Amino acid sequence: MRSRITFASVSAALVAVLGCGADTRSPSEPSSIAGGADGAVGAAASVPLDFEQVSAGGFHSCGVAIDGKAWCWGANDKGQLGTGTVTPSAGSAVPVAVAGGLRFRHVSAGYEHTCGLTTDDIVYCWGFNYWGQLGDGTMGEDHATRGAPAAVAGSRRFRLVRAGWSHTCAITTSADAYCWGENLYGQAGDGGTALGRPRPVAVLGGLKWRQLAGGAEHTCGVSKTDKLYCWGLNDHAQLGDGTKKNRVTPVVVAGGRTYRQVDAGTYTSCAVTTGNVAFCWGFNGQGEIGDGTTTLRLKPRAVAGHFTFDHVNVGGVHACGVTTAGVGLCWGDGGSGALGYGGTSGRTSPVAIGGGLVLRQINAGLAHTCAVTTADKAYCWGANGRLGDGANVMRVLPSPVAGP
């Protein structure tokens, strides 16, 4: 049986990612990235794609072009690029098309799997499936990888899907929440714990949902009444209910505020209120709460700076957000360059990303970040091998995602 995700394992993954130089690879990454013996690829011959949305995962990234076609780049050792193959020794330094000819509304990259919602409201997943995080009814070593998209079991229609580290959650067109995959700490929200749930199970509580987010081993969501709930592992106070007690069904986040958006990271969660103020809670060892400290927070704390946020997103040990004016901000661990301001020092309060870009969407991965500008161009920065810019080097400033 595979062990649970621990803080030590997250730290080890980040150490492997960062290494001692800009071109070190994690043991979980492909040993080479297609394009050259040194892992680098020359400038793409074609024009970069116009993107609707991007998502940064563990060691890969994915996005949906404005024509609805999905593309992925980075590691493919578990089939997380969705190309129809699993390639343990090589990934892709530039976007490659997801197989199947499907058209997507959005995609969500987890740690080693990816899920997407098609334009006909069906969820497809691909990549690592040991815990059943693909939701196709299979799980375990005999079904551990899937290199091409497979429809989630059942006949439900969905309007949103979010991939966590080893589990996935989605909201149906009737606003009901379902989760599948790893459930050792109740992150599926069905009232129990199990090795995994290979098919969607209903989140208990009778709530109707506006938004969901999957973290490492916890889940958060905003109800249609603008109330914020979390469930699952709570050893670092990532549920925000004022305790460190695990929850197998949704529990309301402390503070009595109303929210419109939430995201869950490894052991930290962040959300935006209906008044556009960002709050974070949970583990804060690298300043990923953004309140100017490195103190663990049992309850939500306002992100420093009096910014008005459109949305926030939480990665491994960093977080990012976009203001209502399109300014990209990041905070937390900077060792991989994932904060995007031009350096590698961490920040305990928000720092603006470099390049003068005007953003409409941002997404934080394990040790990198990707974003889409108001001109539909995708940029990534941070740890090497998953940025899609045709090279295999760390970037401390936004680098444009190359053409396929």
Side-chain angles (χ1 to χ4, degrees):
M1 180 184 296
R2 293 179 185 269
S3 60
R4 58 155 290 205
I5 297 167
T6 64
F7 176 70
S9 68
V10 174
S11 298
L14 287 170
V15 168
V17 167
L18 304 182
C20 299
D23 197 33
T24 4
R25 297 185 184 91
S26 161
S28 297
E29 292 184 86
S31 60
S32 65
I33 297 294
D38 62 353
V41 178
S46 58
V47 176
L49 297 161
D50 288 334
F51 279 93
E52 178 67 29
Q53 172 257 343
V54 292
S55 182
F59 302 98
H60 75 294
S61 308
C62 294
V64 175
I66 58 174
D67 63 358
K69 191 174 182 180
W71 301 80
C72 294
W73 52 93
N76 195 40
D77 55 318
K78 300 296 192 299
Q80 57 264 54
L81 301 190
T83 59
T85 61
V86 177
T87 51
S89 61
S92 179
V94 297
V96 290
V98 172
L102 301 165
R103 290 296 182 267
F104 291 88
R105 299 188 193 280
H106 60 260
V107 292
S108 182
Y111 185 64
E112 294 177 309
H113 78 291
T114 310
C115 293
L117 178 70
T118 64
T119 53
D120 55 358
D121 303 328
I122 299 174
V123 170
Y124 287 79
C125 297
W126 54 95
F128 194 46
N129 194 40
Y130 180 85
W131 304 99
Q133 54 262 56
L134 304 190
D136 64 352
T138 67
M139 61 181 285
E141 291 291 355
D142 291 341
H143 306 277
T145 58
R146 184 181 292 278
V152 168
S155 57
R156 300 176 188 89
R157 291 294 187 267
F158 294 92
R159 65 170 181 80
L160 178 144
V161 64
R162 293 291 184 265
W165 274 44
S166 301
H167 74 292
T168 308
C169 294
I171 299 174
T172 68
T173 52
S174 57
D176 298 312
Y178 287 82
C179 296
W180 55 93
E182 186 195 348
N183 193 39
L184 290 172
Y185 300 92
Q187 56 264 53
D190 66 346
T193 57
L195 173 67
R197 303 294 194 195
R199 301 171 64 92
V201 293
V203 174
L204 298 183
L207 298 165
K208 296 294 184 179
W209 297 92
R210 188 184 311 282
Q211 201 240 341
L212 286 176
E217 289 169 318
H218 74 291
T219 308
C220 295
V222 177
S223 73
K224 295 201 78 172
T225 58
D226 301 327
K227 299 297 183 182
L228 182 58
Y229 298 82
C230 294
W231 55 97
L233 185 66
N234 198 29
D235 58 346
H236 289 85
Q238 55 265 52
L239 303 189
D241 65 346
T243 77
K244 290 187 179 181
K245 181 180 178 180
N246 296 349
R247 308 289 186 173
V248 297
T249 57
V251 60
V252 70
V253 172
R257 301 176 186 88
T258 56
Y259 291 87
R260 59 176 180 79
Q261 186 258 335
V262 66
D263 196 59
T266 50
Y267 300 110
T268 307
S269 306
C270 294
V272 177
T273 68
T274 51
N276 300 328
V277 179
F279 285 81
C280 298
W281 58 94
F283 183 71
N284 194 30
Q286 301 297 323
E288 54 266 54
I289 284 177
D291 66 348
T293 76
T294 55
T295 303
L296 181 145
R297 302 297 185 182
L298 295 170
K299 300 177 182 180
R301 295 273 298 190
V303 173
H306 304 289
F307 297 102
T308 56
F309 281 91
D310 178 77
H311 63 276
V312 291
N313 197 264
V314 191
V317 282
H318 76 290
C320 296
V322 175
T323 72
T324 53
V327 177
L329 302 164
C330 293
W331 55 95
D333 183 78
S336 67
L339 303 189
Y341 68 89
T344 56
S345 297
R347 295 287 189 270
T348 60
S349 58
V351 59
I353 67 168
L357 304 173
V358 181
L359 304 181
R360 59 177 172 79
Q361 190 241 335
I362 200 165
N363 195 266
L366 173 66
H368 73 296
T369 308
C370 293
V372 178
T373 69
T374 53
D376 302 328
K377 298 304 180 184
Y379 290 78
C380 295
W381 56 94
N384 57 296
R386 68 210 75 182
L387 307 184
D389 62 355
N392 193 23
V393 297
M394 183 178 76
R395 304 289 191 184
V396 297
L397 288 168
S399 183
V401 173

